[in-house]
Amino acid sequence: NRAEGKVLETVGVFEAPKQHGKYETGQLFLHSVFGYRGIVLFPWQARLYDRDVASPVTEKSESVAGHGSKEVKGKTHTYYQVLIDARDCPHISQRSQTEAVTFLANHDDSRALYAIPGLDYVSHEDILPYSSTDQVPIQHELFERFLMYDQTKVPPFVARDTLCAWQEKNHPWLELSDVHRETTENIRVTVIPFYMGMREAQNSHVYWWRYCIRLENLDSEVVQLRERHWRIFSLSGTLETVRGRGVVGREPVLSKEQPAFQYSSHVSLQASSGHMWGTFRFERPDGSHFDVRIPPFSLESNKDEKTPPSGLHW
C-alpha cells in the first residue's frame, strides 16, 4: 500500500544470522515475525520452559499445581532488550500496542503505572541482523541517549554510560528470567512474566506483574481467537477464574500471511507469589472451535529487590 511516488530505499545489508553466541549491543536487526527495524540494547539469559520438547539436562524444574503433573525442565535461552524504530510502529498490525515496558513508579500514588514505549524483548532466533552506514539508523527517543556511533567498532554503535547505568538501576523491573511455551493443535503460546513491584493499599500489600503473550499459528489453516479462560492462583489461598471475549479488546486472526499476534497485560495478587494458567478458544473457518492451552507460569516477586523502580532518572 505504498503511497504514489514513494520508492523503496535501502536501509542496510543483511548479515548471516548467528547460530551460536550472542548479538552485541548496537546490533541492527529486522524482527523475523513482526518485521520492524530494531537495535539490540543488551542480552538477557532466560530459562525457557518448553512443554513441546523432551526434558533436557535440568537447570531448574517447574511443576504447577492444578495443571496436570507434567514437570518441565528449564534450559538457558538468549533474549534481547531492544528498541523498536518508531517509523515502523504504525505498521505492526499484529501487536495489541507498540510494545512497552511498564513499571510502578517510586512514589506514593498507588494507581500510577508508567510505560516506556518502543521497548521489546526479542528471542535470539527472531533476529535477522543487518548493517547500515547510517549514523542514526533507528528513530527512537532513547537511541541517542543510550548509544553512540563509533566507526572503529563492529557493530559501530556502542553503549553510553547512561545505558549501563539505566540497566543496572532498573534491573528489577526490566529483568526477563523465565519464558514458558506450549503448542496445542499447531498454535504455539509463549508467555513471559515480569515482576513489577509491590504497593501498599488499605493496610495490605498488593503485588503486580505484567505478562507478555505471543500466539503463533504454525499451520496454514486460518484461525481466529474468540475467548480466553484464565485461572489465577494466589499463595494467599484464592483461586480466581476469568472468562471473556478475545484479548485486550481484539479477536485476532492468525493466517499464513500474519501468523502471530502479541499483547501484554497485568495482574495483581495479595500475596508475593502465585500461578496462572488457562486456555484460549479458537474458531476454524468451518465454525468449529478448539481450545489451546496456556502454559502454566509462576508469578514470583523479587525477594532481593533493594529499591523500587526509578524510571528514567539518571
Side-chain angles (χ1 to χ4, degrees):
N1 298 326
R2 211 158 57 240
E4 192 173 345
K6 291 282 187 181
V7 296
L8 292 175
E9 298 175 2
T10 302
V11 298
V13 178
F14 273 125
E15 300 171 347
K18 285 190 178 183
Q19 302 301 317
H20 306 286
K22 294 193 296 245
Y23 294 106
E24 302 295 323
T25 294
Q27 175 67 58
L28 295 166
F29 70 93
L30 286 184
H31 195 295
S32 66
V33 176
F34 297 110
Y36 65 72
R37 288 166 286 181
I39 192 165
V40 170
L41 295 180
F42 47 80
W44 292 110
Q45 288 303 307
R47 286 183 300 271
L48 173 62
Y49 297 101
D50 193 338
R51 294 177 171 265
D52 303 329
V53 297
S55 296
V57 177
T58 115
E59 284 186 11
K60 177 184 168 185
S61 62
E62 171 205 54
S63 145
V64 176
H67 192 86
S69 58
K70 184 174 182 181
E71 190 174 81
V72 181
K73 310 298 183 184
K75 124 179 146 172
T76 301
H77 195 74
T78 303
Y79 277 72
Y80 300 92
Q81 191 94 58
V82 308
L83 293 181
I84 302 175
D85 194 311
R87 293 168 294 187
D88 294 343
C89 290
H91 308 293
I92 310 174
S93 60
Q94 288 296 83
R95 303 282 280 259
S96 64
Q97 68 276 321
T98 300
E99 198 54 56
V101 167
T102 52
F103 60 95
L104 298 171
N106 181 15
H107 59 67
D108 295 331
D109 184 355
S110 63
R111 294 181 302 258
L113 179 68
Y114 290 82
I116 304 171
L119 275 177
D120 201 1
Y121 295 86
V122 179
S123 176
H124 184 84
E125 61 269 20
D126 287 340
I127 284 184
L128 298 175
Y130 73 92
S131 58
S132 171
T133 55
D134 190 345
Q135 294 191 20
V136 187
I138 300 295
Q139 289 188 12
H140 188 288
E141 61 179 353
L142 296 177
F143 177 82
E144 291 183 87
R145 294 171 81 172
F146 282 169
L147 299 158
M148 59 185 170
Y149 183 75
D150 183 344
Q151 63 181 5
T152 67
K153 298 290 175 61
V154 179
F157 305 99
V158 296
R160 294 182 184 270
D161 290 343
T162 46
L163 175 58
C164 302
W166 182 75
Q167 179 187 6
E168 184 177 350
K169 194 173 187 181
N170 298 302
H171 187 278
W173 54 270
L174 285 173
E175 182 178 15
L176 176 156
S177 58
D178 293 345
V179 179
H180 306 264
R181 195 160 69 192
E182 185 168 5
T183 304
T184 310
E185 297 200 35
N186 289 314
I187 305 297
R188 183 163 64 193
V189 181
T190 304
V191 184
I192 309 175
F194 302 88
Y195 178 59
M196 292 171 55
M198 182 267 292
R199 279 277 186 256
E200 291 190 26
Q202 291 153 4
N203 298 321
S204 68
H205 292 169
V206 180
Y207 297 82
W208 284 88
W209 290 263
R210 73 180 184 277
Y211 55 91
C212 177
I213 291 189
R214 182 158 129 189
L215 303 164
E216 291 176 89
N217 185 357
L218 307 179
D219 199 3
S220 57
E221 183 180 53
V222 178
V223 295
Q224 185 168 11
L225 174 63
R226 290 301 194 187
E227 298 174 20
R228 69 189 185 280
H229 177 204
W230 280 108
R231 309 272 284 177
I232 305 165
F233 174 76
S234 169
L235 199 62
S236 63
T238 62
L239 179 61
E240 183 182 0
T241 298
V242 178
R243 290 183 182 272
R245 295 286 294 180
V247 289
V248 291
R250 292 178 62 173
E251 296 180 22
V253 174
L254 304 183
S255 63
K256 195 170 183 179
E257 294 71 35
Q258 293 191 310
F261 179 80
Q262 185 167 309
Y263 75 96
S264 293
S265 192
H266 301 89
V267 64
S268 65
L269 299 178
Q270 304 254 318
S272 59
S273 65
H275 291 107
M276 289 179 65
W277 67 95
T279 54
F280 292 121
R281 175 154 291 187
F282 279 84
E283 184 178 347
R284 298 186 182 93
D286 64 6
S288 63
H289 293 85
F290 63 99
D291 288 338
V292 170
R293 289 185 298 275
I294 304 169
F297 56 96
S298 298
L299 300 170
E300 300 290 347
S301 59
N302 295 357
K303 300 290 194 300
D304 58 349
E305 185 178 343
K306 304 292 190 301
T307 56
S310 56
L312 279 172
H313 301 295
W314 311 107

